[in-house]
């Protein structure tokens, strides 16, 4: 018997439009970094999320790094960041030799808890050492409680960077994820809602910010006919070919969001009535893109643990994954301070991401659902 093709968590899904833009790039011989596809991708992206400026870069991680460099973050500075996230939200803080301080999630959105953030800001204000920035992560396609978070950070005059790598297409009170803070970052890594095979975007309404990070991202060349440098630069730009892929992907972003939400609804309808299963809630303030369908399993009530389900799916060549392991539990960050922690610990212990690829067929979904139901 031939085993069925592997079902991945969130594989790339091309629209067919990408090749036209890639062909344009080839025909014009703009293969090397930069060129008209990059300019167009930046403009189209900025328009899509309704922000003034966008800078296409080599990854979401590079985008976060550039934002931190612009804010002057350096040795010994503190940066607050969600603990429930992927390590890429945090690593650039360490690149700058600054210290991450982790903030736990709230149960209602799984994102940064504004109450804990306020507590941590008050604590640091008393000590006279406020963080240099707050990186708030919008996880799995849902925005954090941005009004509360921005109000507090404004009060303490701390800039907010939104890590919207997983939340392109999500909204908060009609505003796009990633466009509410001082700067926002996005990722076009292979498993994100749209992909350029690898890449990222940095957005802001501040022209000085965008001009500076643009310069930093291309080796910090001063305006002069020769090569002159008065600060350290990086090679972080997106290539013209990858931007061409991005343009094709951007055109079908809202089809992908619609399909992601459909997939979520399909799982929810089939599984929500089982005892001990809780899907990631959709907070009242916005529209969840459902980049990944995620749930938590109470092993006592359900009769099997998250891990048992994951292994059973893997046996059938189906990829699922535990929720993110909180950063405060990561060996590499074990010296770092955390505010709260129990909410994300519980999510990690019992949570699972289900296959959410937008090209999945209904029979794939049925197969996954049948495996999960077989435990009850
Ligand atoms: C994917 C991701 C990133 C990093 O993006 P890359 O383009 O892979 O560098 C950052 N933060 C979060 C939350 C992510 O999921």
């Amino acid at each position: 018997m031939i085993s069925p093709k592997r079902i991945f968590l969130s594989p790339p899904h091309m629209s067919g439009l990408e090749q036209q833009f890639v062909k344009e790039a080839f025909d014009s011989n703009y293969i090397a970094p930069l060129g008209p596809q990059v300019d167009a991708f930046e403009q189209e992206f900025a328009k899509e999320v309704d922000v003034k400026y966008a800078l296409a870069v080599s990854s979401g991680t590079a985008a976060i790094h550039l934002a931190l460099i612009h804010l002057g973050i350096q040795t010994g500075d503190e940066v607050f960041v969600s603990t429930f996230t992927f390590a890429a939200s945090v690593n650039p803080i360490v690149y700058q030799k600054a210290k991450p301080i982790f903030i736990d999630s709230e149960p209602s959105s799984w994102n940064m808890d504004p109450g804990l953030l306020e507590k941590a800001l008050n604590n640091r204000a008393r000590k006279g050492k406020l963080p240099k920035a707050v990186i708030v992560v919008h996880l799995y396609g849902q925005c954090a409680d941005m009004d509360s978070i921005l109000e507090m950070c404004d009060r303490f005059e701390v800039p907010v960077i939104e890590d919207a790598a997983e939340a392109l297409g999500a909204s908060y009170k009609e505003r796009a994820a990633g466009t509410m803070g001082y700067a926002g970052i996005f990722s076009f890594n292979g498993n994100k809602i749209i992909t350029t095979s690898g890449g990222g975007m940095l957005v802001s309404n501040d022209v000085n910010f965008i001009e500076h990070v643009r310069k930093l991202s291309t080796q910090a060349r001063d305006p002069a006919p020769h090569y002159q440098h008065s600060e350290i630069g990086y090679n972080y730009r997106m290539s013209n070919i990858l931007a061409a892929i991005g343009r094709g992907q951007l055109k079908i972003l809202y089809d992908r969001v619609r399909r992601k939400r459909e997939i979520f609804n399909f799982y929810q309808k089939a599984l929500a009535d089982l005892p001990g299963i809780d899907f990631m809630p959709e907070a009242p303030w916005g529209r969840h893109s459902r980049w990944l369908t995620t749930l938590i399993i109470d092993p006592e009530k359900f009769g099997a643990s998250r891990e048992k389900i994951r292994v059973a799916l893997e046996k059938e060549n189906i990829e699922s994954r535990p929720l993110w392991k909180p950063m405060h539990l990561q060996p590499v960050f074990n010296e770092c301070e955390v505010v709260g922690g129990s909410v994300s610990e519980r999510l990690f212990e019992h949570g699972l991401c289900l296959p959410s690829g937008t090209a999945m067929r209904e029979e794939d979904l049925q197969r996954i659902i049948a495996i999960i139901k077989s435990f009850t």
Side-chain angles (χ1 to χ4, degrees):
M1 208 188 101
I2 303 162
S3 65
K5 240 182 39 206
R6 184 160 176 79
I7 300 177
F8 289 100
L9 201 62
S10 183
H13 184 184
M14 294 295 112
S15 68
L17 302 165
E18 297 82 9
Q19 277 158 347
Q20 184 53 42
F21 292 113
V22 173
K23 185 174 182 302
E24 274 178 32
F26 270 80
D27 289 348
S28 67
N29 200 37
Y30 273 107
I31 308 299
L34 305 181
Q37 299 292 331
V38 176
D39 299 340
F41 187 36
E42 287 175 350
Q43 278 161 24
E44 289 158 7
F45 191 91
K47 196 161 166 236
E48 185 71 51
V49 299
D50 195 18
V51 72
K52 280 195 187 136
Y53 311 104
L55 178 79
V57 291
S58 52
S59 70
T61 312
I64 299 173
H65 193 200
L66 289 171
L68 295 178
I69 296 165
H70 174 81
L71 291 171
I73 284 151
Q74 53 182 317
T75 310
D77 288 340
E78 290 183 348
V79 176
F80 289 2
V81 58
S82 313
T83 190
F84 190 48
T85 187
F86 175 47
S89 309
V90 183
N91 287 337
I93 301 171
V94 181
Y95 301 164
Q96 290 308 101
K97 301 191 164 51
K99 277 200 303 200
I101 309 287
F102 299 121
I103 314 283
D104 200 11
S105 299
E106 54 175 359
S108 55
S109 72
W110 297 9
N111 285 314
M112 186 182 281
D113 183 332
L116 292 178
L117 173 64
E118 184 170 38
K119 191 176 132 188
L121 284 167
N122 276 320
N123 169 289
R124 286 305 193 273
R126 276 196 302 275
K127 291 182 177 157
K129 191 181 188 236
L130 283 166
K132 284 280 167 68
V134 172
I135 301 175
V136 52
V137 185
H138 304 312
L139 224 53
Y140 298 125
Q142 170 152 274
C143 288
D145 182 1
M146 286 307 284
D147 278 354
S148 306
I149 290 168
L150 287 172
E151 185 274 316
M152 275 166 221
C153 291
D154 282 352
R155 200 181 336 136
F156 290 95
E157 295 179 17
V158 178
V160 173
I161 298 167
E162 290 177 75
D163 178 347
E166 301 182 3
L168 177 59
S171 60
Y172 179 90
K173 298 183 180 170
E174 310 295 312
R175 291 155 78 193
T179 64
M180 295 163 274
Y182 177 64
I185 78 97
F186 298 88
S187 166
F188 310 117
N189 187 23
N191 64 2
K192 299 289 158 51
I193 194 159
I194 62 170
T195 184
T196 59
S197 84
M201 195 71 84
L202 190 48
V203 303
S204 180
N205 288 312
D206 180 346
V207 67
N208 294 324
F209 169 80
I210 284 289
E211 278 178 2
H212 187 214
V213 289
R214 191 179 294 279
K215 181 183 171 193
L216 290 172
S217 70
T218 46
Q219 308 286 24
R221 196 179 159 192
D222 293 337
H226 52 276
Y227 276 79
Q228 175 162 305
H229 308 273
S230 39
E231 62 184 321
I232 295 296
Y234 299 81
N235 184 4
Y236 276 172
R237 276 297 247 164
M238 179 181 279
S239 92
N240 203 50
I241 300 293
L242 300 191
I245 301 173
R247 291 182 73 194
Q249 287 272 283
L250 194 60
K251 291 218 181 296
I252 44 80
L253 171 62
Y254 282 93
D255 291 341
R256 296 294 183 260
V257 174
R258 191 163 29 77
R259 182 64 188 145
K260 290 278 190 189
R261 287 182 60 94
E262 243 171 51
I263 289 168
F264 171 83
N265 289 333
F266 198 92
Y267 279 125
Q268 194 188 37
K269 223 169 141 205
L271 300 172
D273 291 340
L274 300 183
I277 284 198
D278 281 304
F279 285 86
M280 181 178 186
E282 182 168 38
W285 51 68
R287 192 172 157 84
H288 202 313
S289 75
R290 299 295 181 187
W291 168 58
L292 293 182
T293 288
T294 54
L295 44 78
I296 33 183
I297 293 145
D298 179 333
E300 245 95 90
K301 291 191 194 139
F302 183 72
S305 65
R306 179 280 310 283
E307 207 42 26
K308 272 216 164 121
I309 298 171
R310 194 189 66 76
V311 169
L313 290 167
E314 188 55 50
K315 265 199 194 123
E316 296 292 320
N317 208 15
I318 296 166
E319 183 186 26
S320 67
R321 197 185 287 164
L323 297 183
W324 294 125
K325 180 171 185 174
M327 292 301 115
H328 69 273
L329 298 183
Q330 299 289 351
V332 73
F333 298 127
N334 67 2
E335 307 272 279
C336 299
E337 190 179 327
V338 58
V339 184
S342 59
V343 174
S344 55
E345 284 167 24
R346 183 172 159 272
L347 290 170
F348 170 58
E349 194 180 345
H350 298 301
L352 188 67
C353 305
L354 293 178
S356 307
T358 42
M360 253 195 315
R361 300 159 307 172
E362 186 169 324
E363 59 205 86
D364 297 329
L365 287 164
Q366 295 289 17
R367 213 151 62 79
I368 295 160
I369 287 162
I371 294 166
I372 298 172
K373 278 188 162 170
S374 71
F375 285 96
T376 61

